[in-house]
C-alpha cells in the first residue's frame, strides 16, 4: 500500500480467488486498509476501483489469480451531521478510539426525532481533525449503543482499523459489558415461579442465565419481544448485588451481556418478571411497596424519572495495540441517591 497521503491501494488477486470481484477484493485487500465488503461495494459503484486503467464497477464480475486492481480511496468525506460543543466525560482517548462516560438523557446517534444534541454531534466537535475516517467519512465509528436514558460507558472508533477490530470483538462476544439495574422483586433461584420461566436457567455463584431469541414486537415496532423461534439469539446473566426492603421488594442486580441486542437487558428482565424501576415500556412502573420500603423510599422509587440502568463496566482488547483495557464508571448522582434513600 502506498503512503497514507495518497490514499491509494493496489490489490493483487491471490490463488484460488472467490468467483466474485467484491469478495476477492475483500479477501485480498491489505489488512491495514480495514476495508469492509460493504465499503468495497460502494467504491466499486463509485468507479474508484480500476484494472489496467479501466473502471471495474461490477462486483459480481469474475476474477483470476494475479489480476491487479487499483483502489482510489480519496480523502475522508465530511458528514452532514453538525459538530456541537457539548461537554463529554472522556475516560480514554488515543489516535484510534475514545471511551466516554455518557450521561443519562443523551441520545447516542442522530435520528429523525433527535437530530442534534447527540453523542455523535459531541464527538465530531471533540475529536475534530483527529478523525481519520470511518467507512470513508470523517465520523466516529459507533460499534455499540446504549439507550438515551441509560448512563455509563461507551467506546467509539476514530479510525477504520479500530472500527473493524472493535466490531469483531463485539461480534465474537469478547467484550466485557456489565450493567447495574434496579429491579422490582428479587431474582432468586429458589423462587418456583422464576424456575418455571422458559429460557431461564441457573449457574454457579448465584448467576441466573436468561437465553431467548429477540425480535421486534409484532404490533409495537418500538419494542422488542421474546421469541423461541426466529429472531436473534440473546443471552444475559444476572446476579443480585443487594436487596432492599423488609421483606425484600427491590434488588440491585448486575447484568452481564453475552450478546448485545436492542433493549436486551430490559426485555430479559421483564421476561423473568423483574422489570426495572423507571421503565414504563417493559413493566418497570409497578407501584413500590410502602410497607416494605418505607413511605419516603417508596415515593422516591415511584418518582424516579428514568430507567434505572447504568453501564458500569467495559473491557476489551485495544484493536490496534493489543493492550487489555478495562474501565469502570460510578453510578450517577440520581441513581446513587436513590440507592442511598433505599439503604437508609
Amino acid at each position: 500500500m502506498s503512503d497514507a497521503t495518497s490514499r491509494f491501494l493496489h490489490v493483487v488477486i491471490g490463488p484460488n480467488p472467490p468467483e466474485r470481484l467484491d469478495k476477492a477484493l475483500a479477501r485480498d485487500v491489505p489488512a491495514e486498509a480495514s476495508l469492509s465488503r460493504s465499503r468495497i461495494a460502494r467504491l466499486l459503484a463509485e468507479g474508484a476501483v480500476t484494472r489496467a486503467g479501466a473502471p471495474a464497477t461490477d462486483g459480481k464480475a469474475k476474477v483470476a489469480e494475479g489480476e491487479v486492481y487499483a483502489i482510489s480511496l480519496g480523502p475522508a468525506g465530511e458528514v452532514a451531521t453538525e459538530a456541537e460543543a457539548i461537554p463529554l466525560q472522556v475516560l480514554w482517548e488515543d489516535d484510534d478510539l475514545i471511551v466516554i462516560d455518557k450521561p443519562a438523557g443523551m441520545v447516542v446517534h442522530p435520528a429523525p426525532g433527535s437530530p442534534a444534541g447527540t453523542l455523535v454531534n459531541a464527538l465530531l466537535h471533540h475529536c475534530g481533525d483527529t478523525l481519520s475516517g470511518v467507512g470513508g467519512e470523517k465520523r466516529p465509528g459507533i460499534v455499540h449503543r446504549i439507550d438515551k436514558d441509560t448512563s455509563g460507558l461507551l467506546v467509539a472508533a476514530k479510525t477504520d482499523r479500530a472500527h473493524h477490530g472493535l466490531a469483531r470483538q463485539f461480534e465474537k462476544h469478547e467484550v466485557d459489558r456489565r450493567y447495574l439495574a434496579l429491579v422490582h422483586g428479587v431474582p432468586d433461584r429458589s423462587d418456583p415461579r422464576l424456575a418455571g420461566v422458559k429460557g431461564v436457567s441457573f449457574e454457579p455463584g448465584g448467576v441466573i442465565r436468561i437465553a431467548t431469541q429477540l425480535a421486534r414486537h409484532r404490533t409495537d415496532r418500538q419494542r422488542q419481544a421474546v421469541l423461541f423461534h426466529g429472531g436473534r439469539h440473546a443471552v444475559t446473566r444476572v446476579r443480585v448485588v443487594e436487596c432492599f426492603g423488609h421483606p425484600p421488594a427491590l434488588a440491585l442486580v448486575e447484568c452481564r451481556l453475552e450478546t448485545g441486542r436492542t433493549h436486551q437487558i430490559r426485555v430479559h428482565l421483564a421476561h423473568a418478571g423483574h422489570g426495572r424501576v423507571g421503565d414504563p415500556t417493559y413493566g418497570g412502573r409497578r407501584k413500590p411497596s410502602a410497607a416494605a420500603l418505607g413511605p419516603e423510599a417508596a415515593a422516591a422509587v415511584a418518582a424516579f424519572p428514568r430507567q434505572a440502568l447504568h453501564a458500569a463496566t467495559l473491557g476489551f482488547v485495544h484493536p490496534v495495540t493489543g493492550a487489555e483495557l478495562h474501565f469502570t464508571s460510578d453510578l450517577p448522582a440520581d441513581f446513587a441517591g436513590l440507592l442511598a434513600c433505599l439503604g437508609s
Side-chain angles (χ1 to χ4, degrees):
M1 184 169 64
S2 60
D3 63 36
T5 303
S6 65
R7 303 277 295 171
F8 208 82
L9 292 172
H10 284 93
V11 181
V12 179
I13 302 302
N16 303 313
E19 292 186 358
R20 294 169 53 115
L21 172 59
D22 54 0
K23 292 183 178 181
L25 290 175
R27 186 196 70 172
D28 293 334
V29 72
E32 62 268 25
S34 297
L35 293 183
S36 65
R37 186 176 165 190
S38 60
R39 175 86 186 282
I40 289 172
R42 291 199 301 271
L43 291 167
L44 286 164
E46 294 166 0
V49 181
T50 59
R51 179 178 171 230
T57 59
D58 183 5
K60 298 178 182 179
K62 292 185 177 182
V63 295
E65 179 182 347
E67 290 180 347
V68 179
Y69 290 85
I71 304 178
S72 176
L73 298 177
E78 300 293 335
V79 295
T81 305
E82 294 288 337
E84 297 182 52
I86 302 171
L88 291 173
Q89 186 174 350
V90 179
L91 276 64
W92 172 281
E93 183 175 10
D94 60 20
D95 291 341
D96 291 286
L97 57 84
I98 183 170
V99 176
I100 300 295
D101 196 341
K102 185 187 84 68
M106 174 181 275
V107 175
V108 171
H109 202 279
S114 305
T118 72
L119 178 63
V120 168
N121 295 104
L123 287 172
L124 286 170
H125 179 272
H126 174 86
C127 297
D129 291 337
T130 66
L131 291 171
S132 70
V134 172
E137 296 180 329
K138 294 184 71 173
R139 61 177 176 85
I142 304 298
V143 292
H144 68 127
R145 304 184 188 188
I146 53 181
D147 293 337
K148 173 184 176 181
D149 288 335
T150 302
S151 55
L153 299 170
L154 185 145
V155 60
K158 297 168 65 176
T159 63
D160 261 329
R161 59 182 180 174
H163 189 247
H164 289 292
L166 288 170
R168 280 194 294 270
Q169 291 183 57
F170 277 90
E171 182 181 358
K172 294 179 179 179
H173 316 311
E174 296 172 344
V175 179
D176 183 18
R177 285 179 291 172
R178 301 177 189 234
Y179 292 69
L180 292 174
L182 185 64
V183 301
H184 290 280
V186 179
D188 190 331
R189 67 180 305 160
S190 65
D191 181 354
R193 182 204 58 80
L194 184 61
V197 175
K198 188 174 182 180
V200 170
S201 59
F202 304 97
E203 297 180 340
V207 174
I208 299 167
R209 182 178 185 268
I210 307 172
T212 72
Q213 306 294 111
L214 294 182
R216 284 192 183 275
H217 195 280
R218 293 176 60 184
T219 58
D220 185 350
R221 305 302 289 175
Q222 300 302 313
R223 298 176 59 193
Q224 298 290 307
V226 164
L227 303 174
F228 291 95
H229 300 284
R232 304 182 72 188
H233 185 58
V235 178
T236 307
R237 287 178 169 83
V238 180
R239 178 180 64 85
V240 174
V241 177
E242 188 174 0
C243 301
F244 303 97
H246 304 283
L250 299 174
L252 180 68
V253 299
E254 179 190 75
C255 301
R256 180 161 56 91
L257 291 180
E258 181 175 312
T259 57
R261 312 304 183 199
T262 302
H263 297 179
Q264 178 176 318
I265 291 176
R266 301 168 68 184
V267 182
H268 272 173
L269 288 174
H271 174 68
H274 297 283
R276 288 176 312 160
V277 167
D279 186 354
T281 304
Y282 295 100
R285 286 297 187 190
R286 286 158 48 180
K287 185 177 180 180
S289 170
L293 299 171
E296 182 180 347
V301 172
F304 197 68
R306 67 176 180 93
Q307 54 192 9
L309 183 66
H310 178 68
T313 299
L314 178 65
F316 56 91
V317 175
H318 194 293
V320 177
T321 68
E324 292 189 5
L325 301 179
H326 193 269
F327 303 93
T328 58
S329 168
D330 293 335
L331 287 172
D334 62 344
F335 201 153
L338 179 60
L339 294 186
C341 182
L342 291 170
S344 64

